[in-house]
Amino acid sequence: PKGKVYLAGPFFSFAEKWLVNEVYFALKGLGMNVFSPWHDVGEAGVEAGVAEKDIAGLEDSSIILAIVDGLDSGTLFEIGYAVKMGIPVIAYVENESPGSLTMLSGTLCVVEKDLTTALYKCLWMLAENE
């Protein structure tokens, strides 16, 4: 598929960066075009225009794959923005309670507890929307 995947997720700790990096290269390995705030914008602060660059990447994307464990405020903002824009969201989450995911489930985000399934659903949804 030619559409772009926006990879949302926290990248503050070593473990978070490792997971975002693994997902980034898995998506690329499946042939998808990926925008990752960490890979494409970096870790600069507000003064460097990070928010504007991330939103531009989000608006240029066809689907969002969000790593939701930890309920990071930036990731949740990106999900809400995508839902408002009508961009499909796949939320990969293993360790949050169903109650924490009510807004995601209630706005038709696809919630997946298995990473491999989330990756392939991303590919399938991109292909369906072309």
Side-chain angles (χ1 to χ4, degrees), residues 6 22 61-62 70 77 101 104 113 123:
Y6 185 98
E22 289 295 309
S61 297
S62 303
F77 175 88
L101 306 173
L104 277 68
K113 290 187 175 275
L123 180 63

Side-chain angles (χ1 to χ4, degrees), residues 2 4 7 11 41 44 49 71-72 93 105 109 113 126:
K2 292 177 178 53
K4 189 180 295 180
L7 175 56
F11 46 89
V41 176
L71 303 174
D72 168 62
V93 57
S105 299
C109 295
K113 290 187 175 275
L126 269 179

Side-chain angles (χ1 to χ4, degrees), residues 6-121:
Y6 185 98
L7 175 56
F11 46 89
F12 303 107
S13 69
F14 175 80
E16 290 169 342
K17 288 177 180 179
W18 179 85
L19 180 57
V20 168
N21 202 49
E22 289 295 309
V23 172
Y24 177 80
F25 284 106
L27 291 166
K28 291 229 173 256
L30 290 168
M32 288 181 262
N33 184 14
V34 183
F35 177 89
S36 163
W38 181 41
H39 294 91
D40 296 312
V41 176
E43 298 181 57
V46 173
E47 62 282 349
V50 169
E52 292 84 4
K53 292 173 185 173
D54 289 354
I55 288 172
L58 185 57
E59 290 175 344
D60 189 41
S61 297
S62 303
I63 194 167
I64 310 304
L65 177 57
I67 300 168
V68 179
D69 280 328
L71 303 174
D72 168 62
S73 62
T75 303
L76 295 176
F77 175 88
E78 291 162 332
I79 292 170
Y81 196 96
V83 167
K84 181 65 176 167
M85 296 279 302
I87 301 169
V89 175
I90 298 173
Y92 165 61
V93 57
E94 288 186 27
N95 300 309
E96 300 299 336
S97 68
S100 297
L101 306 173
T102 299
M103 289 300 290
L104 277 68
S105 299
T107 55
L108 303 179
C109 295
V110 175
V111 178
E112 284 298 333
K113 290 187 175 275
D114 178 74
L115 180 56
T116 303
T117 303
L119 293 168
Y120 279 99
K121 278 196 177 178

